[in-house]
Amino acid sequence: MAYKTVLVHCNDKSRIVRVLGPAVEAAGTFNAHLIGLSVVPPVLVIPTGMPGTPDTVVIDEHCQTYRREVPDMKAAFEAAGRERGLVTEWLDVDAGSRSVADIALEHAHAVDLIVASQAEPKWAGTAHLDIADRLAVGSGRPVLIVPNAGEPRSIFGKVLVAWNGRREAARAAFDALPLLRRAREVKVAWVNPQSEGDVAGDVPAADICTALARHGVKCEATEAVRPHANVGQTLLLQAQDQGADLLVMGCYGHSRLREFVLGGASEHVLRHMTIPVLMSH
């Protein structure tokens, strides 16, 4: 089992090198086809309602700013692919009247692994272009999210798998199998899911370790973790204590008014992560 098609969402020139690192490492390890996806955000159409003025005002400065950065992102993508000897493909798409996430999801459904940047709240383009959370909950594929802070790490180093016996955790663990089989070290941390208001069956981490071992993953269960105030904070502290280079976890949330609201643990990790995180929903 291997990832044969890797898609990296290229959305910010200042972070392109950082997000390309794990994408190229994964594609090179698995001899995968690497796709770079760039989506120009939609224009803003603002109703005015003022007498003597047009009914709407169209603002597209952010689109023009983004388009000016695309050639540099494409050049960085192609250079990284050449250096690793990869087969690459660059997709340059315009969102039109739709959202960047909607367009990206159409391409994401047909790949094995998605790589995207952690959201950067201080960046002017974050509302339209930082879509790692949408990819994680809507693509049906594992999403490797690259942090904006912290030292670059190999995704095949020390891996911590978060386990609580729930569907999302199981999906993430088995979606991560190609990475886990090649990792230098794999540990599985059992975290009581009841702290987030849900009850899962009493499935000890030893059971998932046994299942993963049948796939050639050498792993061990850590001691059961009693959550702090937030499960996400607990997972990040565990990853730090274990010296983990990658965290694998389920992405939790629920639908509300046609929007997807992330669970507390997922939201905390996405906000405060400093190591790559592979999420599945």
Side-chain angles (χ1 to χ4, degrees), residues 172-207:
F174 287 96
D175 278 351
L177 271 175
L179 291 172
L180 300 182
R181 292 170 68 175
R182 291 163 177 80
R184 186 169 75 253
E185 178 181 296
V186 179
K187 292 188 176 180
V188 180
W190 164 268
V191 180
N192 184 358
Q194 297 181 25
S195 62
E196 292 224 320
D198 202 357
V199 178
D202 186 17
V203 181
D207 280 5

Side-chain angles (χ1 to χ4, degrees), residues 35-117:
I35 300 172
L37 174 64
S38 165
V39 183
V40 178
V43 299
L44 300 178
V45 180
I46 302 175
T48 62
M50 299 292 292
T53 64
D55 292 337
T56 59
V57 174
V58 177
I59 300 175
D60 69 346
E61 287 88 348
H62 61 294
C63 303
Q64 299 304 324
T65 299
Y66 180 85
R67 286 191 179 97
R68 287 193 292 269
E69 293 189 349
V70 171
D72 290 335
M73 290 194 292
K74 181 180 180 182
F77 170 80
E78 291 177 341
R82 282 196 303 270
E83 184 177 350
R84 193 68 185 249
L86 300 174
V87 176
T88 62
E89 176 184 358
W90 179 259
L91 297 178
D92 194 354
V93 187
D94 197 311
S97 61
R98 303 171 65 192
S99 71
V100 171
D102 286 342
I103 300 299
L105 284 169
E106 290 182 351
H107 294 276
H109 291 148
V111 305
D112 298 310
L113 177 68
I114 302 163
V115 184
S117 294

Side-chain angles (χ1 to χ4, degrees), residues 157-179:
K158 294 183 177 180
V159 181
L160 180 67
V161 179
W163 181 251
N164 60 8
R166 289 170 59 181
R167 179 187 67 82
E168 294 87 347
R171 179 71 180 270
F174 287 96
D175 278 351
L177 271 175
L179 291 172

